[in-house]
Amino acid sequence: MNAPSLTTASALSIRGLCKAFGGAQALRDVDIDVLPGEVHGLLGENGSGKSTLIKVLAGFHSPDAGHLTVRGETVRLPLAPGQFRALGMEFVHQDLGLISSLSVLENLLMGHLATQRGPKPINWRTARRQATKTLNKYGVDLNVSAKVQDLRPVEQALVAIVRGVEDMTSTLAESGHSQGVLFLDEPTAFLPRDQVDRLFELVRRIVATGASVVLVSHDLDEVRRITDRVTVLRNGANVGTVRTTQTSITELTKLIIGKDLQAMERVDAATSAIGDVIMSTDNLSTGAVDSLSMELRSGEVLGVTGLVGSGFEEIPYTLFGAVKASAGSLRLFDKQVDLGNLSPTKAMQAGLGLIPGDRQHDGSIPSLPLTDNLMQLSIRHYFRNGMLRLAALRKDAATLMDRYDVRPRDPEMSYGSFSGGNQQKALMAKWLEQKPKILLLHEPTQGVDVGARAMILGLVREAAADGAGVLCASSDYEQLAVICDRVVVLAQGRVHCELTGAQISKDNITKQCLLSVAAAPSGALTNERPA
């Protein structure tokens, strides 16, 4: 992808943007230029002002100062609700805004139907043909009659992005313009890493038309792969706009957090207090997992990984009883477990905890206050004579927010209103306060900023140091290299290899995942321990 020239007139220009909430300054004289045909990254820790800036552009917030220029024309602020669309801007948020019970076709038509004047019958045959043509234009091969709920996460994201860019293009065509700006807010947050390439191919097709894409992301590897330039916000201010290819991840990290982030060193098994086997499986099968035998010891962080379809992501949910095993056996501590009757309640009673990959849908109730989510597992202790001691509950929730640095310190704010990193810290707090003997993790730092990521990985190591056995299923190889004592790579549901000690590095894990398919084409178990 060829980077646009910095001498090119801006597709979107922001100058002196300010916004305060009470005494808190969310945006401080922010200046940003987005060029035509570029992918522009917007980075910053949670609470840095990214969401506020986007909400100002979407007409949700009124700024205190600043002005906006779109394709050379000054636009009066604040924007009226929906005015962004007339200006050629579209937004695809992390929750995608799709209706899962409807088809791909029906979701693609929403923008058109919302702006259509008067009741007009839909010619479904023509609509299906046109929708298929539209998807093909962007290299997306999907059955337009399929329900969104039946699609893979990456396919759902593709539908939302195609809908956004088509709505943007349609509006621009009516106004005689051709260069719009599409904002993608954490579109890859819940995608396996090897599905991200498919989404990025769509982004490249979009900017090839002359449109611009603003990408909000916490994944610096992805940012360096897809963006031309990035703007970093810290404490509400623009602390730098740089060319991505000329800026290292270390330099980006320093811009984001304002200081050098000391790299965490992996704690080898030889220096950890690793104890006896506390969990073991024998020929465990479920979904893509086929006859898996493995062990977990107290004080150990065991990583499980592989390519998509290898089955590694199903393991935590199966061990927790959220997904039923079809065969095999499980032993917890000194007891054999009846897999047919294993449930999350029984798993918790046995000392297991699960932090799922999708915190919004599987780990919380976003509409309820943080207090309710944070104290969900211990709320029974706050009843006296049948009455809930609400003051004590809120006080202890506030204490946990301080201990785990959940910001802002408002226990009555809804869980869904917190940033991704603070949601994840609250979820960690909720489970770690139960002192689980076995902690099951799935993508524990997905969609969080670099500061929160370091804290979360530190909490995982602390749990192991306190004697818990930790199983982490992740496609983030760098994360596994940081925290794991052992890493098991799966291929076609079975163990391809086990890495220990000096074998554990991001490059070696990546290599073994890529080699795993060729090395075990029949899914046969190997005992290889690569150097």
Side-chain angles (χ1 to χ4, degrees):
M1 182 167 55
N2 295 322
S5 168
L6 292 178
T7 61
T8 306
S10 298
L12 176 73
S13 180
I14 299 167
R15 289 291 180 271
L17 199 62
C18 297
K19 178 64 181 176
F21 297 96
Q25 195 73 32
L27 294 173
R28 308 167 186 268
D29 292 313
V30 172
D31 294 347
I32 298 177
D33 288 297
V34 178
L35 304 180
E38 81 166 336
V39 182
H40 193 110
L42 183 59
L43 309 181
E45 288 190 272
N46 292 317
S48 63
K50 304 188 305 296
S51 295
T52 302
L53 185 146
I54 286 177
K55 287 178 179 178
V56 167
L57 296 177
F60 187 82
H61 287 323
S62 298
D64 301 323
H67 65 270
L68 176 68
T69 303
V70 179
R71 294 183 299 275
E73 297 181 11
T74 301
V75 179
R76 185 185 298 274
L77 294 175
L79 296 182
Q83 187 182 353
F84 65 84
R85 186 166 284 116
L87 295 171
M89 294 189 288
E90 279 292 338
F91 299 83
V92 177
H93 300 286
Q94 194 176 112
D95 64 5
L96 301 182
L98 301 175
I99 299 178
S100 59
S101 60
L102 296 183
S103 68
V104 171
L105 171 61
E106 290 165 321
N107 276 276
L108 288 175
L109 281 175
M110 278 181 193
H112 169 71
L113 295 177
T115 57
Q116 180 175 281
R117 296 182 179 179
K120 296 181 181 178
I122 299 172
N123 184 324
W124 289 103
R125 179 177 295 179
T126 301
R128 277 191 291 273
R129 186 166 55 248
Q130 183 60 41
T132 300
K133 183 178 178 181
T134 296
L135 291 175
N136 290 340
K137 179 172 68 175
Y138 296 103
V140 178
D141 183 15
L142 289 176
N143 179 359
V144 297
S145 298
K147 282 187 167 52
V148 165
Q149 64 193 14
D150 296 328
L151 301 180
R152 300 164 71 193
V154 67
E155 293 170 338
Q156 294 179 7
L158 293 173
V159 170
I161 294 172
V162 168
R163 183 180 68 184
V165 73
E166 279 296 292
D167 289 348
M168 178 179 72
T169 302
S170 176
T171 303
L172 287 168
E174 293 176 4
S175 62
H177 295 293
S178 60
Q179 296 173 341
V181 182
L182 179 67
F183 291 81
L184 302 181
D185 189 359
E186 292 283 356
T188 66
F190 298 112
L191 297 184
R193 293 210 162 200
D194 58 356
Q195 293 183 19
V196 172
D197 288 339
R198 191 172 173 191
L199 186 145
F200 281 177
E201 180 57 35
L202 175 56
V203 171
R204 293 185 181 99
R205 286 173 180 263
I206 292 169
V207 296
T209 67
S212 306
V213 172
V214 175
L215 175 71
V216 180
S217 178
H218 290 304
D219 192 313
L220 299 187
D221 281 329
E222 292 180 1
V223 166
R224 293 193 79 244
R225 283 173 51 203
I226 191 65
T227 62
D228 299 299
R229 296 186 302 141
V230 298
T231 292
V232 179
L233 298 184
R234 188 171 71 240
N235 296 325
N238 179 349
V239 295
T241 297
V242 297
R243 283 190 180 276
T244 312
T245 56
Q246 298 173 359
T247 312
S248 69
I249 287 181
T250 300
E251 291 168 328
L252 285 177
T253 300
K254 187 173 182 178
L255 276 175
I256 290 168
I257 66 174
K259 59 183 180 181
D260 288 321
L261 184 64
Q262 297 300 317
M264 295 176 60
E265 295 183 359
R266 190 177 65 81
V267 180
D268 290 328
T271 60
S272 302
I274 295 178
D276 297 331
V277 174
I278 55 176
M279 179 177 68
S280 61
T281 66
D282 185 27
N283 292 319
L284 181 71
S285 296
T286 178
V289 177
D290 180 20
S291 303
L292 178 68
S293 298
M294 60 191 302
E295 294 180 341
L296 174 68
R297 295 176 178 271
S298 63
E300 175 185 42
V301 180
L302 171 65
V304 288
T305 190
L307 300 179
V308 169
S310 64
F312 77 90
E313 67 273 16
E314 299 177 38
I315 294 173
Y317 304 97
T318 305
L319 297 176
F320 197 66
V323 171
K324 292 299 181 185
S326 57
S329 63
L330 170 66
R331 190 173 184 83
L332 295 176
F333 308 103
D334 58 349
K335 296 181 180 179
Q336 200 71 24
V337 175
D338 182 356
L339 280 169
N341 291 320
L342 181 62
S343 66
T345 299
K346 291 181 178 179
M348 290 169 60
Q349 291 171 346
L352 276 67
L354 170 68
I355 297 179
D358 189 341
R359 54 183 169 266
Q360 287 274 359
H361 293 94
D362 301 330
S364 66
I365 305 174
S367 61
L368 292 183
L370 187 79
T371 293
D372 294 24
N373 281 278
L374 197 56
M375 310 302 289
Q376 182 183 16
L377 301 177
S378 55
I379 195 169
R380 64 186 183 280
H381 301 306
Y382 293 87
F383 283 91
R384 181 175 294 169
N385 299 323
M387 300 292 290
L388 177 63
R389 295 182 294 132
L390 190 56
L393 184 74
R394 288 174 175 167
K395 179 182 178 182
D396 289 351
T399 299
L400 285 183
M401 292 182 76
D402 285 337
R403 185 180 304 163
Y404 290 87
D405 192 29
V406 180
R407 294 174 284 172
R409 302 284 203 271
D410 183 358
E412 295 313 299
M413 193 166 96
S414 68
Y415 179 89
S417 298
F418 285 83
S419 64
N422 286 294
Q423 289 179 9
Q424 192 71 355
K425 285 189 281 188
L427 194 58
M428 294 289 292
K430 165 184 163 181
W431 282 102
L432 290 178
E433 287 300 304
Q434 302 305 303
K435 303 297 182 185
K437 298 174 183 177
I438 296 174
L439 183 62
L440 307 171
L441 306 170
H442 181 211
E443 306 292 4
T445 61
Q446 194 163 239
V448 305
D449 65 72
V450 290
R453 172 187 170 93
M455 179 179 178
I456 290 167
L457 297 184
L459 290 172
V460 172
R461 285 301 328 179
E462 286 177 17
D466 289 340
V470 180
L471 183 145
C472 180
S474 178
S475 57
D476 186 334
Y477 307 146
E478 182 177 31
Q479 171 182 278
L480 294 176
V482 166
I483 62 172
C484 291
D485 301 295
R486 284 190 298 134
V487 175
V488 171
V489 177
L490 269 61
Q492 299 184 28
R494 295 191 178 190
V495 175
H496 161 63
C497 68
E498 177 184 297
L499 307 176
T500 60
Q503 298 170 338
I504 300 177
S505 68
K506 177 184 176 182
D507 289 345
N508 199 29
I509 296 171
T510 302
K511 173 185 173 182
Q512 294 305 322
C513 286
L514 295 175
L515 290 175
S516 63
V517 177
S522 62
L525 178 67
T526 76
N527 294 316
E528 180 189 2
R529 290 199 176 209

